[in-house]
Structure formats: C-alpha cells, structure tokens
Amino acid sequence: MTALLEVDNLHVTFATRKETIEAVRGVSFTMGREKLGIVGESGSGKSVTCRALLGLVRPPGKVTADRLVFDGAELEQNDARTMQGIRGRRIAMVMQDPKYSLNPVMTVGEQIAEAYRIHARASRAEARRKTIEMLEAVKIRRPEQVYASYPHEVSGGMGQRIMIAMMLIPGPDLLIADEPTSALDVTVQLQLLAIMDDLVQERGMGLIFISHDLNLVASFCDRIVIMYAGRIMEVCSAADLHQARHPYTRGLLNCLPQIDTPPGELPVLERDPAWRDGVS
Amino acid sequence: MISVNGLDVVFGRGHRALRAVADASFEVEAGGVYGIVGESGSGKSTILNVLSGLNRRWNGTVTIDGERQGQRRDQDFHKKVQMVFQDPYGSLHPRHTVDRILSEPVAIHGLGQAEDRVLRALEEVGLGPEFRFRYPHQLSGGQRQRVAVARALILEPRILLLDEPTSALDVSVQAEVLNLLTGLQRRRNLTYILVSHDLAVVAHMCRRIAVMNRGVIVEELGVETLRRRAPEHPYTRQLLDASIGYNREAVATMEEFEGGV
C-alpha cells in the first residue's frame, strides 16, 4: 500500500495574550486509500489536525510539522497558491452542520455546479449535467427538484448528502469528514455512511472520518486513531478495538451505556495526567 | 404518579396542521423511571413540554400526583415538577452566577434560607462551594449540566422531566451525569421521565420504555424485552439494529416508517 498521506510530528499552537495553547502536540500517522477514523472527545485536537492538513488554521494559530506529504508531494503549508490547488480539488472536507456550510441565498444545484466549474472549467450546461449526476450518486430521488431548492428547504440528512455531492464533484483523492453525521438521526446517519462508503470505494479514495462515537467508527472504518489532549494515544485496526490496550481507549469504551448490560453505576473515566505529557 | 391519556398536540392549523403527538397514553408509577425514545420530530420532547406546562395547547387527560392538570399550572405544580433541558450552554443565563441561577427559584417560591439551599444543592450534584460564584462560561459542559440539575432539585421536586440531558456531552461526561441522576433518583425516590434519541442511554436508565415515531407511541416495552433484543414493532427493531453500529447490509434493508396518523 503506497501512502496517500504522511503526517510526521504535527504541532498546532494558538498563542493568546496569557498563554500558548498547544492544540495538537506531535501527531504522526500514515494512511493509504482506506477509511481512517479519528476518535476523541471535545478538545482532543481531532478537528484541528484535519484543518491543519488543509491549511485552514488561521493566525494566531501556527502549524508546524517535520513532514506533511500528500500523494508523494510535500504539502507547502505556507504557499497559499499551492494549497489553493489542493484544497477542494485533491483533498475535500465535509463539516458537521450543512446549515452553516451551505450558502443560504443560492440554490443547492448552483452551489454544486459552482464547485465543479471552479475546479474543472466546464460550461454551465456541462456543470449542470454533472451536478444532476452527482445528486443521483448520493441517492437523491428527484435531483432536478433538489437542484432548484434552497438550503432551508431541505432536511438535515438531505443537506449533508448535498455537501457530500459538492465535495466529491471535483474528484478529490482524500475526503475528510468532520463529524458529518452527528447532528442526524441514527437511521439517516447510517444511510449517509453507506453512501460515503460506496462512493469512496468506487472511486478508490481515502477517507478520514472524525467522530466522537467510538462504536460507530469501529463499525465503519478500517483503522482508528484515538486522540486525547492533542496527542495520539493509540492506533489500532477497527476490528481489534475491543482488545484495545491503552487505558484511555478502554475507559472510553467502558463508560458507554450498553443495551444488554444491567443498569448500575457506569465506570467513570479516570484521566491520567501522564497521557497529556505522552510519557506512557 | 403520572398518567397520560389520549394526548393530542397539533401545531399550526388548516391544511398546514401537523399532529405532533397523536393519542399518546402511558403511566408512570411513583419512583419509576420511564423512558421515551425516538428520532427527531417524533414528538418525544413535545410530550415533556405538555407535562411541564410549557405547551398549553393540547387535548387529552394528564393527571399528575392524583390531580388532573389544566392548560395552566400554578406555582405549587412547579415545586413538584421540574425539568432539565438538553443544552446546558443554552439553558443557563450567561450573565448570572451559579449562586443567582440557583437562588432565583428559592426566591420565587419564598422558601428562604437561600444560602443553605444553594450550598446543599451544589454538594448534592457533586460541585463544591467554590463553584458558587462562577459564571456559566467558567464551567465545562458537564459542570453546567450539574448546575442545571441542581437548579431543578433545589425546590425538592418529586418529578424530574429530563429532555436529552446528556446528548450535548462527551461520553465520559455523560457517564458521570447519568451516574449522578441514578444516585439522586434512588436517594430521593424521584420519579423520572427521560427523553432521549439514544436507545442505550434509555435502556441503561429506565425500566419501561415508550418508542415513538411521527407522533405515535408505536410500542411500549420493558427493558428486559429490549435487552433480549425481542421488541415487537419493526420500527423498534430497526432502531435497535441502528444502535449497534454501521453494517452495510443492514442499511440496505432499512425503511421509512409511516406514522400511524
């Protein structure tokens, strides 16, 4: 498996007047064209890691890394023009809430077509045709009707399908999905994952799936990265998650209520300060 | 303790009318923990809003502690029934200290000894006295939800209505808040109605569970039935399958369920 993405010793810091906050502290991982899950609680640095890959960390945030290699080429974080060529075209990102990601005063079809035209220099008619195709690919039943509707007229699940269509239309090699389904009902959530699963497989893409839901990630992804306080605690294959060794991973698994275990006290996660410093 | 019979809630009128809750009936005994589970728009929170008096346009019979409830509730009612909301970032006044948030209900009900009560309430939810003069933005999500629980408890109610009390929290914090709620329920013999979209949370906390879809209680079942994975209604079975995690084959068989309206 050739590496699609190599991250070596990534740091992201935010300097405030009082102190410097280290949001990501020495994260390294390698991934191929696979489904990689990044799991962690709020503040663990999982979203910032991915935003850093895309060059989306704004000052005063600072990104440093020993190596960031995407598809054989160094990602030049400081070169705005190269990043512009990569962002969207080669690496795309779906965010949590479609309500804030879509332009409220433009029909969804025009927005997707715009994304296509920026990256592919196609005619309007061609872009429209491609957009309808893409809406069909994300299993939208009446693509023409949805093309002409505004974001407020579609449901959350539909909105997220539209986002996926928009992100996939330039044909990226890597899709980053940051909690794409957390705001949705369970059944809608699973249907959306199935759509992503199929498309990623058909197109031979890599997928980074960020989530706080350990069970969901374990059942959906190939490999899992577990993050805490800006560090990677453990990387394991999804199938072996339940044999995970790191006490943080074990703690996260244990504190989930289960349908088939009798009620009582849930084990509470005890945080070891050593995890923060990466001694263990 | 709580008895709901033929509850109907309609939003809007004419051709745009939406029957948010349709002919819902259930009973909760004193000291019971009753769960309502369903997806968004199923009407589960609407039922809580009716019970708490936040929603005043409904039809049916609601009896709480032997008293038949009208559309309006008096002060005594609120001393008996309190509610905890989903989002502790939205339900606490950002410019009031914890002390002020907790003393306000004491003052409204003229209970006196505000200081004692505030300190006791804080202790009961596992927050020390050092939290008393903090503002909500100085607290974590879990601490805020503890303050929200303390505010509900300070009037010493007998019924707590919990609307997705842990959905906005991390799983490790969720475990702490659920443990807190379990402990309080046992110590004070409180009656709970817990609304959640998370089947595992409801199964962990509740003995009896109502499953709602599009305004209708499609099934009421005991937690043992859920644990045996033997619910009757196909909608409940689908929720149960979905709660296990992602499975490409299972997703293909999922269907839309029509409400019974």
Side-chain angles (χ1 to χ4, degrees), chain A residues 103-200:
Chain A
N103 181 346
V105 293
M106 207 172 159
T107 68
V108 299
E110 281 168 25
Q111 295 183 52
I112 302 173
E114 185 188 36
Y116 184 64
R117 275 162 58 87
I118 286 172
H119 294 292
R121 304 195 181 282
S123 71
R124 269 172 202 286
E126 163 78 4
R128 186 189 159 85
R129 197 180 54 74
K130 277 294 253 188
T131 302
I132 303 267
E133 260 177 47
M134 201 62 227
L135 287 173
E136 277 166 0
V138 293
K139 308 260 159 51
I140 287 177
R141 260 176 243 149
R142 278 177 296 235
E144 258 99 16
Q145 196 184 330
V146 172
Y147 188 99
S149 45
Y150 285 91
H152 73 269
E153 296 172 309
V154 302
S155 66
M158 178 83 88
Q160 209 54 299
R161 288 178 196 207
I162 290 163
M163 285 309 299
I164 290 173
M166 188 189 296
M167 292 304 123
L168 290 187
I169 204 165
D173 296 288
L174 175 62
L175 179 68
I176 299 174
D178 187 356
E179 305 254 12
T181 59
S182 311
L184 306 173
D185 282 329
V186 268
T187 42
V188 183
Q189 175 175 37
L190 296 183
Q191 283 160 354
L192 202 80
L193 290 183
I195 291 170
M196 273 206 290
D197 196 5
D198 294 350
L199 288 173
V200 164

Side-chain angles (χ1 to χ4, degrees), chain B residues 143-171:
Chain B
Q143 289 165 345
R144 286 179 207 220
Q145 200 58 308
R146 284 172 192 266
V147 172
V149 173
R151 174 178 58 188
L153 285 176
I154 204 158
L155 296 173
E156 296 173 11
R158 297 175 55 203
I159 298 170
L160 269 198
L161 305 173
L162 305 159
D163 191 2
E164 304 257 14
T166 59
S167 324
L169 307 174
D170 273 328
V171 284

Side-chain angles (χ1 to χ4, degrees), chain A:
Chain A
M1 180 175 73
T2 53
L4 178 65
L5 179 70
E6 280 181 72
V7 178
D8 194 10
N9 200 21
L10 176 75
H11 282 261
V12 183
T13 56
F14 294 91
T16 65
R17 255 179 305 172
K18 274 194 223 148
E19 56 188 335
T20 302
I21 294 162
E22 297 179 83
V24 178
R25 306 183 299 155
V27 161
S28 309
F29 64 90
T30 307
M31 70 175 290
R33 295 179 185 266
E34 60 180 328
K35 286 177 285 180
L36 180 78
I38 301 185
V39 187
E41 298 191 286
S42 41
S44 61
K46 53 191 194 301
S47 297
V48 182
T49 299
C50 291
R51 296 184 76 91
L53 295 177
L54 282 174
L56 289 176
V57 174
R58 263 183 258 168
K62 266 179 75 177
V63 180
T64 58
D66 292 352
R67 254 160 76 81
L68 279 181
V69 179
F70 173 68
D71 206 10
E74 195 88 19
L75 276 181
E76 292 288 346
Q77 288 284 330
N78 302 323
D79 183 351
R81 285 188 63 153
T82 344
M83 283 314 293
Q84 194 75 45
I86 285 174
R87 210 182 294 132
R89 188 170 314 186
R90 311 277 330 267
I91 309 179
M93 185 160 175
V94 179
M95 314 257 186
Q96 178 170 0
D97 198 337
K99 253 183 270 158
Y100 300 110
S101 309
L102 292 167
N103 181 346
V105 293
M106 207 172 159
T107 68
V108 299
E110 281 168 25
Q111 295 183 52
I112 302 173
E114 185 188 36
Y116 184 64
R117 275 162 58 87
I118 286 172
H119 294 292
R121 304 195 181 282
S123 71
R124 269 172 202 286
E126 163 78 4
R128 186 189 159 85
R129 197 180 54 74
K130 277 294 253 188
T131 302
I132 303 267
E133 260 177 47
M134 201 62 227
L135 287 173
E136 277 166 0
V138 293
K139 308 260 159 51
I140 287 177
R141 260 176 243 149
R142 278 177 296 235
E144 258 99 16
Q145 196 184 330
V146 172
Y147 188 99
S149 45
Y150 285 91
H152 73 269
E153 296 172 309
V154 302
S155 66
M158 178 83 88
Q160 209 54 299
R161 288 178 196 207
I162 290 163
M163 285 309 299
I164 290 173
M166 188 189 296
M167 292 304 123
L168 290 187
I169 204 165
D173 296 288
L174 175 62
L175 179 68
I176 299 174
D178 187 356
E179 305 254 12
T181 59
S182 311
L184 306 173
D185 282 329
V186 268
T187 42
V188 183
Q189 175 175 37
L190 296 183
Q191 283 160 354
L192 202 80
L193 290 183
I195 291 170
M196 273 206 290
D197 196 5
D198 294 350
L199 288 173
V200 164
Q201 223 151 65
E202 272 166 32
R203 296 166 174 233
M205 294 163 52
L207 173 72
I208 298 182
F209 183 76
I210 304 177
S211 174
H212 63 277
D213 189 334
L214 211 51
N215 276 330
L216 187 69
V217 173
S219 54
F220 180 64
C221 296
D222 305 316
R223 283 195 307 143
I224 309 179
V225 171
I226 291 125
M227 285 189 71
Y228 175 70
R231 282 180 196 283
I232 291 181
M233 295 289 113
E234 187 169 13
V235 181
C236 60
S237 87
D240 300 334
L241 177 71
H242 288 269
Q243 284 101 52
R245 274 188 305 259
H246 196 284
Y248 178 68
T249 318
R250 297 241 45 102
L252 272 188
L253 281 170
N254 290 337
C255 69
L256 283 173
Q258 302 284 340
I259 286 173
D260 26 22
T261 51
E265 288 276 294
L266 288 165
V268 172
L269 180 61
E270 301 290 345
R271 292 173 174 76
D272 187 340
W275 304 341
R276 197 166 268 283
D277 307 319
V279 188
S280 61

Side-chain angles (χ1 to χ4, degrees), chain B residues 6-42:
Chain B
L7 179 67
D8 255 51
V9 181
V10 179
F11 292 130
R13 53 187 66 181
H15 70 287
R16 304 191 74 170
L18 174 83
R19 210 165 160 204
V21 178
D23 197 19
S25 307
F26 60 92
E27 299 212 352
V28 188
E29 80 275 11
V33 181
Y34 191 82
I36 304 178
V37 71
E39 298 188 291
S40 47
S42 62

Side-chain angles (χ1 to χ4, degrees), chain B residues 106 111-122 154-156:
Chain B
V106 179
L111 296 179
Q113 300 154 327
E115 181 166 348
D116 277 4
R117 285 176 195 271
V118 168
L119 288 171
R120 230 180 314 142
L122 280 178
I154 204 158
L155 296 173
E156 296 173 11

